[in-house]
Amino acid sequence: MSEYFEAVAARAVDLTKVYGEGENVVHALAGVTIDFRAGEFTAIMGPSGSGKSTLMHCLAGLDAATGGSVQVGGTELTSLSDKQMTELRRDRIGFVFQAFNLVPTLTALENITLPLDIAGRKPDEQWMNAVIDRLGLRQRLDHRPTELSGGQQQRVACARALVGRPEIVFGDEPTGNLDSRSGAEVLSILRAAVDDYRQTVVIVTHDPRAASYADRVVFLADGRIVDEMRGPTAELVAEKLIHLDELVAR
Ligand SMILES: Nc1ncnc2c1ncn2[C@@H]1O[C@H](COP(=O)(O)OP(=O)(O)O)[C@@H](O)[C@H]1O
Ligand SMILES: [Mg+2]
């Protein structure tokens, strides 16, 4: 039994999230139960407004659910104090969110190592160098965010999320603002983190090609999980999305 629980990096059970009230009530999550296995790369897809970001924020402890439970590595998030939650996010979770800005006064390298510096941990030099090189950031380490393109900033955010090798990395459309080449670099480093270091990765994406890097694709519609695919290809995912849109349009 313990082996089973160890193998689950994150879990949501009957997760609900309600925004607003009365006529304005929105059931952003209407009872989501899902496991994310350790060492697996999952992509979450679904129409706009289907609850993808809400699910991601609840899983990552950035937002509190209305009901249900979230566990990260066996820790129940709802039982944590604010301080414990902050520490869990800092020590055990990596984020690549579009809204997660870099610190403007710090260089790229300082941004990358910031979470480790705060936690008083030393980076694994070999892994840090691999991440920096694979993301093409070697020549940019002394630059501040304003001296970097959007794609480069996103790659710095990606390096920052990966460098401490957290138990799980969450990305909300991590390639959304990137050209296809930068996007492919980000996805291949996430893939390598999973394959070579048993990292667990969960991303939200609209792009079937991005989803094809994952081991598993989970489809959300109207705050519910409606389907799942293993070993996705871009073609199969694109086809599924068309059916999903038809389902929601009805
Ligand atoms: N802060 C909020 N206040 C009210 N409604 C919200 C808020 N955030 C999200 N929603 C609503 O919840 C639903 C799910 O949103 P979201 O999780 O952002 O979807 P997605 O990421 O799939 O586009 C949408 O109907 C959205 O309008
Ligand atoms: Mg979203």
Side-chain angles (χ1 to χ4, degrees):
M1 200 163 101
S2 65
E3 230 170 81
Y4 173 73
F5 281 109
E6 274 164 27
V8 176
R11 159 178 288 168
V13 181
D14 204 17
L15 202 63
T16 57
K17 178 72 180 183
V18 181
Y19 289 112
E21 50 190 59
E23 277 178 19
N24 300 320
V25 73
V26 176
H27 294 270
L29 297 177
V32 170
T33 296
I34 187 169
D35 280 357
F36 299 95
R37 251 192 256 159
E40 208 164 71
F41 187 163
T42 304
I44 297 173
M45 303 191 86
S48 181
S50 58
K52 304 180 297 294
S53 293
T54 303
L55 176 60
M56 194 74 109
H57 288 133
C58 290
L59 285 167
L62 293 167
D63 198 358
T66 306
S69 86
V70 176
Q71 291 158 27
V72 170
T75 303
E76 175 65 48
L77 297 198
T78 46
S79 73
L80 299 181
S81 66
D82 286 352
K83 180 167 178 278
Q84 288 171 322
M85 185 73 102
T86 303
E87 283 171 4
L88 178 130
R89 279 198 304 259
R90 184 192 71 197
D91 298 338
R92 296 169 61 183
I93 298 177
F95 306 95
V96 196
F97 287 177
Q98 289 188 350
F100 247 74
N101 298 319
L102 303 173
V103 180
T105 52
L106 299 182
T107 65
L109 181 62
E110 288 164 346
N111 268 286
I112 291 169
T113 60
L114 183 64
L116 290 173
D117 292 340
I118 292 171
R121 285 165 59 201
K122 286 244 171 305
D124 172 334
E125 293 287 337
Q126 202 184 343
W127 173 240
M128 186 167 79
N129 283 322
V131 167
I132 286 167
D133 286 332
R134 289 185 77 149
L135 288 169
L137 293 169
R138 180 64 59 194
Q139 310 304 322
R140 297 283 177 270
L141 293 178
D142 295 335
H143 292 53
R144 284 173 216 288
T146 51
E147 299 162 337
L148 299 170
S149 69
Q152 287 164 346
Q153 288 181 44
Q154 190 73 327
R155 281 183 274 154
V156 171
C158 190
R160 180 180 60 180
L162 285 170
V163 84
R165 269 199 229 151
E167 284 173 33
I168 188 161
V169 172
F170 292 107
D172 195 351
E173 310 209 24
T175 60
N177 292 327
L178 302 185
D179 59 71
S180 60
R181 183 155 158 249
S182 304
E185 278 162 5
V186 166
L187 290 161
S188 67
I189 190 90
L190 292 174
R191 185 70 251 173
V194 171
D195 291 339
D196 303 343
Y197 293 92
R198 252 180 83 73
Q199 183 73 62
T200 309
V201 174
V202 182
I203 65 166
V204 167
T205 182
H206 276 116
D207 177 7
R209 191 161 308 183
S212 73
Y213 282 76
D215 298 304
R216 172 200 192 203
V217 182
V218 173
F219 297 91
L220 272 187
D222 294 331
R224 288 189 174 80
I225 293 173
V226 292
D227 215 335
E228 181 174 326
M229 186 188 286
R230 289 210 157 259
T233 65
E235 291 72 22
L236 287 172
V237 168
E239 217 170 281
K240 184 74 80 184
L241 288 178
I242 292 169
H243 292 306
L244 214 60
D245 279 338
E246 287 169 357
L247 202 79
V248 172
R250 253 184 245 143

